[in-house]
Amino acid sequence: LNDDDIERLCSLKVSPINVSVHVTDGEKRVEMLKNPNASKLLDTMKRFADAGIIMNAQIVLCRGINDGKYLEKSIEDLKKLYPAVRSVSIVPVGLSKFRENLCHLEGFDGKSSHDVINLVTPYQKNFKSEIGTSLVYLADEFYINAGVPIPPYEHYEEFPQIENGVGLIAAMK
C-alpha cells in the first residue's frame, strides 16, 4: 500500500481488515516478499491502530525461514498492537507439486509442528492471563501433524480465524 491507500483506509475506517504479516522483522520481510517496501509493515499497522481499525493478522509459517526467533519477534510485536490486533493466526505454508522455478520450501512434519506448538503455547497462556485472550492461534494442521489433540472449543474463543483452518475441527465437535 502507498501512503494515499493507507490514508484512505484510515479515513474510511475500514474495519476489521485482514493483514498478511508473515514476519515483522523488516529485513526478513523484504527478503521473503521480494518487495523493498515490505519493511514498513509495523508502521502501517500502527497507523491503522491509531485510526481505530481492528486487524486480524496471519503468519504463513515457512519452515527454516520465518519460524523460531522470527516467529517469537512477530508474536511479541503484534501483541504490542493489541487490542487493535484482535487475533493472529499461524498457518503452515501450503505446498503443492506446482513449485517449478520457486524457492525451496520444506513442509512441517511431526517434530517441526510440535516445535511450533511448544513455541506458541506459552505465549497463548501468558496472553490469556495478561490480556484475557490467547490472541495467537495455530492452524489445526500443526496439531494433526504433531499427533497432539486439537485444543477444546473454548480455546478458540470467538473463532476469529476459522476461515484459515484455525479451530475448524474443534467447531465441528
Side-chain angles (χ1 to χ4, degrees):
L1 299 173
N2 62 38
D3 280 339
D4 290 340
D5 295 329
I6 295 166
E7 282 308 311
R8 187 169 51 95
L9 290 170
C10 290
S11 69
L12 293 172
K13 302 271 189 219
V14 176
S15 186
I17 60 173
N18 297 328
V19 180
S20 296
V21 171
H22 310 314
V23 66
T24 59
D25 180 86
E27 287 180 32
K28 182 57 78 172
R29 197 160 196 283
V30 167
E31 175 190 326
M32 283 185 75
L33 300 180
K34 309 287 189 253
N35 178 341
N37 294 318
S39 64
K40 300 176 183 177
L41 172 77
L42 284 176
D43 291 335
T44 301
M45 291 181 76
K46 287 175 188 162
R47 287 173 66 183
F48 287 154
D50 290 343
I53 294 173
I54 300 299
M55 295 166 276
N56 293 305
Q58 183 188 58
I59 296 172
V60 175
L61 205 59
C62 299
R63 187 171 164 192
I65 298 175
N66 63 335
D67 56 353
K69 69 179 183 178
Y70 292 107
L71 179 57
E72 290 184 77
K73 180 182 182 330
S74 295
I75 291 170
E76 291 166 7
D77 288 343
L78 293 169
K79 192 265 185 181
K80 291 174 188 170
L81 292 171
Y82 177 83
V85 170
R86 182 179 70 179
S87 67
V88 179
S89 69
I90 302 171
V91 303
V93 66
L95 300 174
S96 73
K97 63 181 180 179
F98 304 103
R99 296 205 36 82
E100 197 171 314
N101 298 321
L102 296 175
C103 69
H104 173 74
L105 292 174
E106 286 187 49
F108 284 87
D109 59 14
K111 183 191 179 319
S112 58
S113 292
H114 209 279
D115 291 344
V116 172
I117 293 168
N118 287 340
L119 185 146
V120 172
T121 300
Y123 283 105
Q124 293 172 321
K125 289 178 180 176
N126 289 340
F127 294 165
K128 187 75 170 174
S129 172
E130 183 182 334
I131 60 176
T133 179
S134 296
L135 186 63
V136 181
Y137 304 92
L138 291 170
D140 296 353
E141 189 173 338
F142 285 114
Y143 298 104
I144 293 166
N145 285 346
V148 172
I150 300 287
Y153 184 94
E154 301 75 28
H155 170 78
Y156 297 97
E157 300 165 29
E158 296 177 5
F159 292 85
Q161 300 258 2
I162 197 166
E163 69 277 1
N164 288 325
V166 177
L168 191 60
I169 294 172
M172 292 190 298
K173 291 183 178 183

